[in-house]
Amino acid sequence: MTDAARPGTPDRGYSLPPSYLNAGTTLKSWLLTTDHKRIGLLYLASITVFFMIGGIAAAVMRTELMTPAGDLVSADTYNRLFTLHGVIMVWFFLIPAVPTTLGNFVLPLAIGARDVAFPRLNLFSWYLNIAGGSLALSALLLGGVDTGWTFYTPYSTLYSNSYVTLAAAGVFVAGFSSIATGLNFIVTVHTQRTEGMGWMRLPLFVWSIYATSIILVLATPALAIVLAMIVGERVFDLGLFDPRRGGDPILFQHIFWFYSHPAVYIMILPGMGVVTEVLTCFSRRKVFGYEAMVFAILGIAIFGFFVWGHHMFVSGQSTFASLIFSLLSFVIAVPSAIKVFNWSATLYGGHITFEASMLYALGFVGLFTMGGLTGLFLASIPIDVHVTDTYFIVAHFHYIMVGGMVSAFFAGLHFWWPKITGRMYSEGFARAAALLMFVGFNVTFFPQFILGFMGMPRRYWSYPPEFQILNLMSSFGAMILTLAYALPMIYFALSLWRGRMAGDNPWRATGLEWATASPPPRENFVQRPVVDRAPYDYHPAHGEPTEREDDPDREKRDDRPEDPA
Amino acid sequence: MSDAIWSRAGAHAESFDRLFTVLTGFSVLILLLVAGLIVGFSIRFRSGSKVTRHKVSRLIHREIEIGWIAATAIVALFFFWWTTSANLQQAAAPAGAMEIHIEAKQWMWKASHPDGTREISTLHVPAGQPVRLYLNSQDVIHSFFVPAFRLKQDVVPGRTATMWFRADRAGTYPLLCAEYCGTGHSRMLGEIVVMEPADFAAWLDSRPQGGGMIAAGRMLFTSVGCSGCHAPGSTVHAPDLDGLYGRQVPLADGRVVTADAAYIQDSILLPRRDIVAGYAPIMPDFADLLDEDEVAALVAYIRSLKGDAS
């Protein structure tokens, strides 16, 4: 089949330069590339490896927790496993996942740019990320770290005999990768937008990456400082967190959460952006309330900096401080709620189809709502006092990060896969994986809310036998999840050599990234596009939405006998 | 035989369960609303359905948006007000609470009663009586967690944490450590044994007494030399400690602090940190001379000096 014969491929009237994938095929051409698209794929490869390592650690933990007694691994091994899982998943998967893969690949295309503002810095960021990841992994190979990903002092500074310094140094280095990537995206959005692409015409995915980048640049230095303090304390015996020498263990928690609470928004905001692209495309509707969505993104990014104290309601901070942090935590629920309601309203009056990508996005809205609502419990001081540091917290943040962020990541990966590779994957398998992931996720994590309410603390290697049934359910769900995560690796791999050609715009989406070839040429566009309309232009501003041409299920429907009514 | 971990006992538990139930009900409603909207719209507006798609005019857009922004903001503020006021009502321990000291260390809980009775990983208390705990840690951060009371308090080394509870029903309630503290974290378990007041009195009588923390503190006050400067008749210009506990203390740098247990402990271990206004910084540092138990005993003794006013 020739290119022009595919639906969605316009007759260009000129011949295309080779795609970015064919612009060089040697290993060197990949490792020294400054092409944002190739760098996105380098990240995709590295975060997949990290995701698998973190996932294996989780699988061993869930197996251990099938019985109340600690019988599969020793307590020390268990402690090293949950630390490994947390450190790898938070810093080497969740934080970089959407910005560095989909952000790198799509953002310049979506604003009509040839590349990011600083292509070489972009490549350097990947190497920094790999260097940090290697340091953290070497700490693991040498014997592991047992502090938890939160590195709480004085356990991490005075008592832990594990490789804390090495792991902290790894995360420290990876932090600079985050900062450089954030700076790069900020400058790119400011300077590389194509003609006519005003701020209020930016797709919400670009807005979300932009807001995320601001958080990355402002918050990550706090993490760098606090990790440097940990290393300084361990290596030079500074006494910063040692109460016997006038230090304060709580100081660590303040700086750590000043970074780590905004970090939650670093993870979830890009996911919100992805979901907006997907929901609008597959419902053929303009997003409901574009301006409100932009201000909600910015509101979350700004308020996210002022709620860190809700992690410390039981640490002994003053009642007044807790009160203020509680109030601000409730306030941040408002922009989050705006987003959920606007996504729901976007579906109204659309022509909705249920591709895998759409299933992930719809699942995201449900799981994020669940995570957000349980966040209200944690913003309430008296409720937080009971459920903090229990499995309730574990369930809550997995609903946001795994239910939310990972669903959105998969939604985006399925949405842009045809653009990235030029090939289609098996829609049937992809839909099955999406449903399986939704079911597996809920079976794994919903019982943990109940466990937490019942009082099972987190980070327990063994537990009282009353908690076994719910733990068994959770471990069973983890098996379903493992299968659901393995499936995409198979059908994505198959699609690379058997998938049918995608054409430029298989979903009939409106973003600029769909206006060029799939896969795009090295310079993205032969002629830079000019923007003359608002985003999500699926129907006239005050007109009705229309069905998508060549909707894959349409033929089947047309074959049906006419409804007698 | 201990009660179920999640059984309900104590003054805080009832109010917790009420808040938790209402918030859960509210969450279920919102979840059903969102799920209803998504599933309902997905079915009604699926591609190929013959339903008419109405245009949504810009004005209605705005109205709907303003409506739900206002609604969420009001609901959020209501829950803030309701839960925070519940918290503030229960923040302070009632007067006349029984005072018990808890020492946490890897991986056990040690309790000392006012009369000097000590126990490890078990705490006996009378039912119906408010109990105020003073908690210290000898090593890392632990967290004193009694699910049946719906209460939890981090115990941070170098600080004295306080919390209070009143168990209204006799029973045995599990105590867990909720802050990760190393290898034995999941084994740092204990029990709160709540007894009828008469049974408790009998139990206390049957235990050997260690002379009491306050008595131990009084002896230390003289033997380690505190009284040389702080006794009322001393010629050294040092603050008088009678009635100090709970008072507002002006410091040399202009701050005013409340003389709570943490402040008294800091003043013994880090005397140069908070100098009282009008006094020279002459107090020596006792950090290397006293162990944790001795400091706790001194703090308990100083707390007992009620002064003439009371």
Side-chain angles (χ1 to χ4, degrees), chain A residues 17 58 94 199 266 347 473 483 547:
Chain A
L94 290 167
W199 284 93
I266 293 175
L347 299 176
M473 272 179 71
L483 180 64
E547 231 172 328

Side-chain angles (χ1 to χ4, degrees), chain A residues 128-189:
Chain A
L128 273 180
N129 187 282
I130 293 298
S134 307
L135 278 174
L137 278 179
S138 65
L140 150 80
L141 292 175
L142 286 169
V145 187
D146 70 347
T147 60
W149 77 276
T150 47
F151 292 114
Y152 265 24
T153 56
Y155 185 75
S156 64
T157 47
L158 293 173
Y159 291 87
S160 174
N161 291 320
S162 58
Y163 290 86
V164 179
T165 306
L166 206 52
V171 177
F172 180 85
V173 171
F176 286 93
S177 165
S178 287
I179 296 172
T181 303
L183 266 177
N184 215 337
F185 286 158
I186 291 172
V187 178
T188 302
V189 174

Side-chain angles (χ1 to χ4, degrees), chain A residues 76 79 146 159 248 288-289 314 337 342 344 349-350 352 385-386 388-389 454 459-460 542 544 551 557, chain B residues 6 41 45 47 53 55 61 65 68 72 83 139-141 152-154 159 177-180 182-183 185 187:
Chain A
D76 282 327
N79 296 343
D146 70 347
Y159 291 87
D248 185 356
F288 186 92
V314 298
N342 282 17
S344 312
I352 303 167
V385 166
H386 176 60
T388 190
D389 279 322
M454 287 162 72
R459 298 176 171 175
Y460 263 32
H542 298 287
E544 282 182 32
D551 162 6
R557 267 200 314 274
Chain B
W6 55 91
F41 289 165
F45 299 110
S47 183
R53 271 83 175 164
K55 292 176 267 190
H61 243 204
E65 271 177 346
W68 64 46
T72 4
T83 56
D139 37 50
V140 300
I141 302 178
K152 184 182 287 127
Q153 177 61 53
D154 281 7
R159 295 183 174 206
C177 178
E179 183 64 64
Y180 173 67
T183 311
H185 171 53
R187 296 290 175 82

Side-chain angles (χ1 to χ4, degrees), chain B residues 114-130:
Chain B
D115 71 346
T117 302
R118 288 164 176 257
E119 34 185 344
I120 289 179
S121 297
T122 311
L123 173 63
H124 288 75
V125 292
Q129 156 118 35

Side-chain angles (χ1 to χ4, degrees), chain A residues 70 75-76 79 82 146-148 152-155 159 243-250 253 285 287-292 314-317 319 323 326-327 330-331 333-334 337-338 340-342 344-345 347-354 362 365-366 369-370 373-374 376-377 379-390 392 452-462 464 466-467 541-545 547-548 551 557 560 562, chain B residues 2-6 15-17 19-20 23-24 26-28 30-31 33-34 37-39 41-50 52-58 60-62 64-65 68-69 72-73 75-77 79-81 83-84 86-88 90-91 106-107 138-141 143 145-159 174 176-189 269-270 273 287 292:
Chain A
D76 282 327
N79 296 343
F82 72 66
D146 70 347
T147 60
Y152 265 24
T153 56
Y155 185 75
Y159 291 87
R244 277 169 297 196
R245 290 185 284 163
D248 185 356
I250 298 291
Q253 296 181 22
R285 282 274 281 132
V287 68
F288 186 92
Y290 175 85
E291 289 90 350
V314 298
S315 70
Q317 81 184 350
T319 315
L323 188 147
S326 170
L327 174 62
F330 273 109
V331 167
V334 176
I338 293 174
V340 170
F341 288 131
N342 282 17
S344 312
L347 299 176
Y348 180 84
H351 286 267
I352 303 167
T353 54
F354 301 95
L362 292 172
V365 178
T369 304
M370 185 79 185
L373 284 168
T374 48
L376 293 181
F377 288 68
S380 316
I381 302 168
I383 296 181
D384 180 83
V385 166
H386 176 60
V387 296
T388 190
D389 279 322
T390 69
F392 192 94
F453 171 75
M454 287 162 72
M456 178 167 168
R458 65 195 284 208
R459 298 176 171 175
Y460 263 32
W461 161 68
S462 61
E466 295 97 307
F467 296 135
H542 298 287
E544 282 182 32
E547 231 172 328
R548 193 170 102 204
D551 162 6
R557 267 200 314 274
R560 279 184 322 205
E562 272 297 312
Chain B
S2 64
D3 291 64
I5 293 172
W6 55 91
S15 113
F16 171 91
D17 282 7
L19 295 175
F20 194 91
L23 214 45
T24 305
F26 170 77
S27 302
V28 170
I30 296 292
L31 203 60
L33 173 71
V34 172
L37 287 177
I38 289 177
V39 175
F41 289 165
S42 292
I43 293 172
R44 187 170 164 79
F45 299 110
R46 69 191 183 278
S47 183
S49 76
K50 301 282 183 266
T52 38
R53 271 83 175 164
H54 299 285
K55 292 176 267 190
V56 182
S57 80
R58 204 169 174 73
I60 296 177
H61 243 204
R62 281 283 143 82
I64 296 174
E65 271 177 346
W68 64 46
I69 292 172
T72 4
V75 170
L77 290 178
F79 278 121
F80 164 71
W81 164 79
T83 56
T84 305
N87 184 55
L88 290 178
Q90 294 181 325
Q106 289 173 328
W107 290 279
Q138 294 188 5
D139 37 50
V140 300
I141 302 178
S143 192
F145 179 32
V146 186
F149 298 168
R150 312 287 190 261
L151 282 179
K152 184 182 287 127
Q153 177 61 53
D154 281 7
V155 190
V156 181
R159 295 183 174 206
L176 305 106
C177 178
E179 183 64 64
Y180 173 67
C181 57
T183 311
H185 171 53
S186 59
R187 296 290 175 82
M188 191 167 163
L189 307 172
L269 298 177
L270 305 160
R273 191 151 93 176
E292 306 268 346

Side-chain angles (χ1 to χ4, degrees), chain A residues 392-432:
Chain A
F392 192 94
I393 292 282
V394 177
H396 162 72
F397 71 69
H398 280 90
Y399 263 83
I400 297 282
M401 295 178 191
V402 185
M405 199 329 267
V406 178
S407 293
F409 177 62
F410 275 102
L413 203 55
H414 286 80
F415 186 60
W416 283 301
W417 187 261
K419 179 56 58 184
I420 295 171
T421 63
R423 302 274 187 165
M424 301 302 286
Y425 45 83
S426 156
E427 190 60 47
F429 274 107
R431 288 180 191 186

